[in-house]
């Protein structure tokens, strides 16, 4: 199949017709020649392994994570701090620093192409065109010395070959798209001149510039207050639906994903311990860790009171236990759990749980 079949009309990028004609005149850096198969699944992460080689030892950060994402679908990746959510995202993006990080196994297939085998130059193109990411901390992800308009215009100039003027126009319409008031005036402002919520909108605009097929949002609202959080989540959900993107939403807060995710993966110690559609999980978790996470959702009616937290700490990733890594913190744990690491069992209705006693958990 010809790779050019997969080129999208520029209009779907939110780029005007006029600009799209100019685009055809000037060759620009695109990822189309990398052999993506439009009929292959959008994103498949299979048996991913990542380790950090440090002076303290080898930290086994990701230990065989598998999941998939279709167009128009939202996957929530959940887990406490340190469970491997960001490392998973960075592995998909190809932005892990190596050393100390090494991908030691698995595949990250985008439309059938294993991104992990691509040279850096190609990965850079994929990052621009197909897989984009929104980070938690917008201020440190934006360059303080350039105007927001300049930074938003850059991808259009580099990857689409637009003139400076055309690119500026796109920048303004992107700001407008993400709901920044008086967008055409604000392109001249610097990142610090935006509020936290508006900055996060700028980040989202930047991620969407080249109309990615997959958007990864890593704790996109964690630094924001509750009202703004809700607005940003709504913006992400709206844009995702409009563009039929695959969205990976990473969070440690199960409350955040309940409304927007179609399915979730719960991570613990670099493994996926539960995989399910969102509604069945919330109603009836199949893994003790998911249950504990659900019980730690901050509740409005308990405002001011101590939040429920999960007792104990995650395992040291340089010395993972032989058995289930959640065993020391688990109230269902038996002798077997100490020695026998549970696989991801099928627990019915397309759900999986890595707990030997999932039946008891489901019934509890
Ligand atoms: P989170 O779920 O909070 O996003 P991360 O994916 O950032 O967790 O990290 C998972 C684990 O990977 C950490 O607990 C840590 O052991 C390891 N790790 C992440 N980044 C580094 C690093 N730069 N150097 C060494 N270890 C790291
Ligand atoms: Mg993280």
């Amino acid at each position: 199949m010809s790779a050019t079949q997969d080129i999208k009309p520029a209009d779907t990028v939110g780029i005007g017709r006029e600009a799209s004609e100019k685009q055809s005149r000037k060759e620009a850096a695109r990822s189309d020649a990398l052999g993506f198969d439009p009929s292959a699944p959008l994103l498949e992460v299979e048996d991913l392994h990542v380790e950090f080689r440090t002076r303290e030892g080898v930290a086994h950060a990701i230990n065989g994570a598998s999941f998939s994402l279709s167009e128009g679908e939202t996957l929530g990746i959940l887990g406490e701090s340190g469970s491997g959510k960001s490392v998973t995202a960075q592995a998909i993006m190809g932005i892990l620093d190596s050393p100390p990080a090494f991908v030691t196994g698995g595949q990250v297939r985008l439309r059938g192409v294993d991104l992990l085998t691509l040279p850096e130059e190609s990965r850079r193109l994929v990052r621009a065109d197909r897989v984009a990411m929104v980070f938690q901390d917008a201020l440190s992800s934006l360059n303080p010395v350039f105007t927001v308009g300049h930074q938003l215009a850059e991808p259009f100039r580099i990857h689409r070959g637009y003139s400076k003027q055309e690119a500026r126009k796109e920048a303004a319409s992107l700001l407008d798209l993400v709901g920044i008031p008086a967008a055409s005036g604000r392109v001249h402002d610097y990142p610090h001149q935006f509020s936290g919520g508006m900055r996060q909108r700028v980040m989202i605009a930047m991620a969407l510039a080249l109309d990615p097929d997959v958007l990864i949002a890593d704790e996109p609202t964690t630094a924001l207050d509750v009202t703004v959080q809700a607005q940003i989540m709504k913006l992400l959900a709206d844009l995702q639906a409009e563009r039929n993107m695959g969205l990976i939403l990473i969070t440690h807060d199960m409350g955040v994903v309940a409304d927007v995710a179609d399915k979730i993966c719960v991570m613990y110690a670099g493994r996926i311990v539960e995989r399910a559609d969102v509604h069945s999980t919330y109603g009836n978790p199949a893994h003790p860790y998911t249950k504990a996470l659900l019980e730690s959702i901050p509740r409005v009616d308990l405002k001011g009171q101590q939040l429920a937290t999960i007792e104990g700490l995650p395992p040291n990733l340089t010395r993972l236990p032989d058995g289930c890594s959640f065993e020391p913190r688990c109230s269902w744990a038996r002798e077997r759990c100490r020695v026998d690491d549970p696989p991801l069992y099928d627990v019915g209705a397309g759900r999986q749980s890595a707990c030997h006693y999932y039946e008891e958990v489901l019934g509890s």
Side-chain angles (χ1 to χ4, degrees):
M1 147 179 2
S2 141
T4 53
Q5 279 178 344
D6 205 24
I7 295 182
K8 299 179 204 170
D11 295 36
T12 64
V13 194
I15 294 171
R17 189 168 304 277
E18 186 192 342
S20 120
E21 280 162 15
K22 296 230 172 70
Q23 179 186 337
S24 60
R25 269 186 256 135
K26 195 167 169 184
E27 258 321 300
R30 282 176 170 272
S31 63
D32 300 310
L34 297 173
F36 295 108
D37 174 359
S39 65
L42 179 58
L43 181 71
E44 299 163 294
V45 172
E46 194 183 313
D47 201 27
L48 182 67
H49 286 75
V50 180
E51 60 187 41
F52 287 87
R53 298 176 191 158
T54 68
R55 260 180 300 184
E56 290 74 41
V58 178
H60 299 275
I62 309 295
N63 304 293
S66 303
F67 55 86
S68 66
L69 178 74
S70 305
E71 50 275 26
E73 194 174 50
T74 298
L75 165 70
I77 298 185
L78 290 151
E80 287 165 291
S81 175
S83 55
K85 305 181 299 294
S86 295
V87 171
T88 301
Q90 288 159 10
I92 296 170
M93 289 291 287
I95 55 172
L96 284 166
D97 276 330
S98 184
F102 294 87
V103 177
T104 52
Q107 294 198 335
V108 175
R109 288 189 300 273
L110 184 73
R111 295 281 186 221
V113 174
D114 182 11
L115 301 181
L116 299 179
T117 62
L118 294 179
E120 179 48 33
E121 174 73 358
S122 307
R123 295 220 73 179
R124 209 172 49 76
L125 292 179
V126 172
R127 268 201 294 282
D129 263 3
R130 291 173 187 263
V131 187
M133 188 157 164
V134 174
F135 300 87
Q136 174 180 339
D137 182 3
L139 197 53
S140 62
S141 312
L142 293 164
N143 191 328
V145 304
F146 292 110
T147 64
V148 155
H150 176 93
Q151 294 179 64
L152 280 167
E154 198 109 299
F156 293 100
R157 303 203 61 196
I158 297 172
H159 295 277
R160 296 292 180 263
Y162 282 24
S163 73
K164 204 167 177 172
Q165 205 183 2
E166 289 162 348
R168 283 289 168 116
K169 222 169 90 187
E170 293 308 327
S173 68
L174 272 176
L175 283 185
D176 193 45
L177 176 80
V178 296
I180 292 186
S184 56
R186 301 227 58 186
V187 290
H188 307 293
D189 288 348
Y190 291 85
H192 73 267
Q193 293 172 283
F194 290 79
S195 69
M198 287 296 154
R199 239 171 357 236
Q200 200 51 286
R201 287 176 192 264
V202 172
M203 278 295 297
I204 292 168
M206 250 167 108
L208 292 179
L210 300 178
D211 197 28
D213 305 315
V214 176
L215 180 64
I216 305 174
D218 189 357
E219 313 242 11
T221 64
T222 300
L224 307 171
D225 73 53
V226 178
T227 325
V228 183
Q229 277 189 15
Q231 292 163 358
I232 297 291
M233 287 312 302
K234 181 174 181 335
L235 174 68
L236 279 172
D238 288 349
L239 290 167
Q240 186 244 8
E242 258 165 49
R243 291 164 175 243
N244 203 32
M245 285 184 297
L247 175 64
I248 297 179
L249 192 59
I250 294 174
T251 176
H252 63 271
D253 179 354
M254 287 200 77
V256 167
V257 291
D259 299 330
V260 289
D262 299 300
K263 58 185 192 182
I264 62 163
C265 285
V266 179
M267 288 193 84
Y268 190 76
R271 286 236 173 130
I272 287 166
V273 295
E274 177 160 2
R275 211 163 40 190
D277 71 274
V278 80
H279 298 293
S280 56
T281 308
Y282 277 71
N284 194 8
H287 194 284
Y289 180 60
T290 316
K291 204 172 166 69
L293 277 181
L294 274 169
E295 281 157 9
S296 69
I297 291 183
R299 281 174 40 189
V300 178
D301 55 325
L302 296 181
K303 205 170 176 171
Q305 294 186 34
Q306 183 84 41
L307 290 176
T309 50
I310 307 170
E311 255 182 68
L313 289 172
N316 181 339
L317 296 174
T318 60
R319 282 181 278 114
L320 283 173
D322 290 332
C324 172
S325 43
F326 190 58
E327 180 271 333
R329 303 170 78 184
C330 181
S331 43
W332 273 270
R334 321 266 163 87
E335 188 49 40
R336 179 184 179 189
C337 306
R338 246 186 292 281
V339 289
D340 185 5
D341 192 13
L344 259 182
Y345 294 106
D346 263 311
V347 306
R351 301 174 60 183
Q352 288 99 32
S353 164
C355 175
H356 295 306
Y357 301 104
Y358 67 84
E359 278 171 335
E360 288 176 32
V361 181
L362 275 171
S364 68

